Amino acid sequence: MQTRKLGPFTVSAIGLGCMNLSHAYGHPVDEAEATRLLLRALDCGVDFLDTAALYGFGANESLLGRALKGHRQRFVLASKCGMTGVNGKRVIDGRPATIKATCDAALQRLQTDVIDLYYLHRLDFAVPIEESVGALADLVQAGKIRGIGLSEVSAVTLRRAHAVHPVTALQSEYSLWSREPEIAVLEACCELGVAFVAFSPLARGFLGGQLVNPQKQLEAGDIRLSMPRFEPDNYVRNLQLLPAFRSLAAELGGTPAQLALAWLLASKPEMLMIPGTRSIAHLEENLGAYRLQLDAATVAQLDSMIHPRHIAGERYNQATFAEIDSERFNTQA
């Protein structure tokens, strides 16, 4: 087990993203099965759990509240506001009143008195970041949250937010095939003392090596089916990168998923990551990444083996890109 600093907390470097238990990856997991997974994660030493008001439109927070009641002191809890479900539709709303109301509802669903890390899930382009962060600062003052986070924002936005109130963490997609944080955000986090949390560190399952045909293997409604990288023609091209990756993992005595996480652990020693899974077997497999000790040459080999310049398709479609603030390669600096 390796640990990382997250503001005032020390947590497992590999946490658990809870989204796919309730949201975006097909049908929600049976609650008894999800509860077993969450409790097994705690027993394995995973003590950083990530959820959001958006996930299942509150269902994921409610799941954690029920499943982990009585275990609250065993983990650091992160959730998110600013993007929720309203009348069955996803809505981005960073207005202070909405943020505060979302937090109050989340505390009830999570069955806790305080959320350790509360992210603004998306920047609301209609609301200055200073106003949204001001509302989060009020929640800190009120004792309802302990730290402020931001998700999928640019380095410029991070600096503006940090000037209002210290930001504990910034969360964005980061893996061998998604490197946008390298443009500016990682440097800004280091400069400001902000923890960086990588979501989708397994490239939404691609780097696990078992997703061969998304159109056949994924359930209807799975968010990946709307992502350009998972479109048939692009995915066939992307699969060509996996044989060498699998071979290197086997050579090092690990699985592809373990190698992907070990690359993050070795190349960015200050970084946290929150892979998600519905499977206890995959949870335990992911934690085996701690055993892979990669030298600098292997890190460099992986860096060049799978890189966005080799990947066919963007990570999001254009409608989603229009909603996020983070930097993009070849489109903005």
Side-chain angles (χ1 to χ4, degrees), residues 192-260:
L192 299 173
V194 175
F196 183 87
V197 179
F199 73 75
S200 297
L202 296 177
R204 300 185 185 273
F206 172 73
L207 292 173
Q210 298 178 15
L211 185 58
V212 178
N213 188 329
Q215 278 62 40
K216 290 186 176 180
Q217 291 177 255
L218 302 181
E219 295 181 23
D222 191 301
I223 193 174
R224 289 169 287 185
L225 295 174
S226 68
M227 294 177 172
R229 290 179 177 179
F230 291 89
E231 292 174 359
D233 290 346
N234 287 337
Y235 203 74
V236 167
R237 292 172 58 190
N238 293 333
L239 284 174
Q240 296 174 15
L241 300 172
L242 286 183
F245 185 68
R246 289 194 189 98
S247 295
L248 181 57
E251 179 184 333
L252 295 172
T255 68
Q258 290 169 349
L259 184 58

Side-chain angles (χ1 to χ4, degrees), residues 171-195:
Q171 177 182 128
S172 198
E173 183 172 359
Y174 189 65
S175 68
L176 281 164
W177 85 343
S178 292
R179 310 281 190 90
E180 285 84 354
E182 294 176 0
I183 298 171
V185 160
L186 291 178
E187 181 179 353
C189 284
C190 182
E191 177 187 331
L192 299 173
V194 175

Side-chain angles (χ1 to χ4, degrees), residues 77-286:
L77 173 64
S79 192
K80 308 178 194 73
C81 62
M83 185 161 62
T84 57
V86 179
N87 297 324
K89 296 183 179 180
R90 179 176 58 82
V91 173
I92 296 174
D93 186 346
R95 292 175 297 175
T98 302
I99 287 172
K100 292 177 180 180
T102 302
C103 181
D104 287 340
L107 290 169
Q108 292 185 17
R109 289 191 292 261
L110 290 162
Q111 300 190 41
T112 187
D113 295 327
V114 63
I115 297 169
D116 298 311
L117 175 61
Y118 206 42
Y119 294 94
L120 182 69
H121 205 157
R122 289 290 184 272
L123 173 66
D124 183 343
F125 291 110
V127 179
I129 186 62
E130 290 82 0
E131 292 185 17
S132 296
V133 172
L136 291 169
D138 289 344
L139 292 172
V140 173
Q141 186 65 31
K144 295 181 179 182
I145 67 174
R146 292 194 170 103
I148 292 173
L150 302 172
S151 178
E152 292 266 51
V153 301
S154 66
V156 170
T157 298
L158 170 61
R159 294 181 192 281
R160 287 173 56 189
H162 197 73
V164 175
H165 186 282
V167 175
T168 297
L170 187 153
Q171 177 182 128
S172 198
E173 183 172 359
Y174 189 65
S175 68
L176 281 164
W177 85 343
S178 292
R179 310 281 190 90
E180 285 84 354
E182 294 176 0
I183 298 171
V185 160
L186 291 178
E187 181 179 353
C189 284
C190 182
E191 177 187 331
L192 299 173
V194 175
F196 183 87
V197 179
F199 73 75
S200 297
L202 296 177
R204 300 185 185 273
F206 172 73
L207 292 173
Q210 298 178 15
L211 185 58
V212 178
N213 188 329
Q215 278 62 40
K216 290 186 176 180
Q217 291 177 255
L218 302 181
E219 295 181 23
D222 191 301
I223 193 174
R224 289 169 287 185
L225 295 174
S226 68
M227 294 177 172
R229 290 179 177 179
F230 291 89
E231 292 174 359
D233 290 346
N234 287 337
Y235 203 74
V236 167
R237 292 172 58 190
N238 293 333
L239 284 174
Q240 296 174 15
L241 300 172
L242 286 183
F245 185 68
R246 289 194 189 98
S247 295
L248 181 57
E251 179 184 333
L252 295 172
T255 68
Q258 290 169 349
L259 184 58
L261 296 176
W263 174 79
L264 279 173
L265 291 169
S267 63
K268 303 291 187 295
E270 72 287 351
M271 186 176 294
L272 300 97
M273 59 212 71
I274 47 170
T277 184
R278 298 175 164 207
S279 160
I280 289 177
H282 287 165
L283 166 73
E284 294 172 349
E285 175 188 353
N286 290 344

Side-chain angles (χ1 to χ4, degrees), residues 281-305:
H282 287 165
L283 166 73
E284 294 172 349
E285 175 188 353
N286 290 344
L287 297 177
Y290 289 127
R291 295 192 296 270
L292 293 184
Q293 302 296 314
L294 308 185
D295 59 25
T298 303
V299 169
Q301 181 181 0
L302 286 165
D303 186 76
S304 61
M305 181 181 291

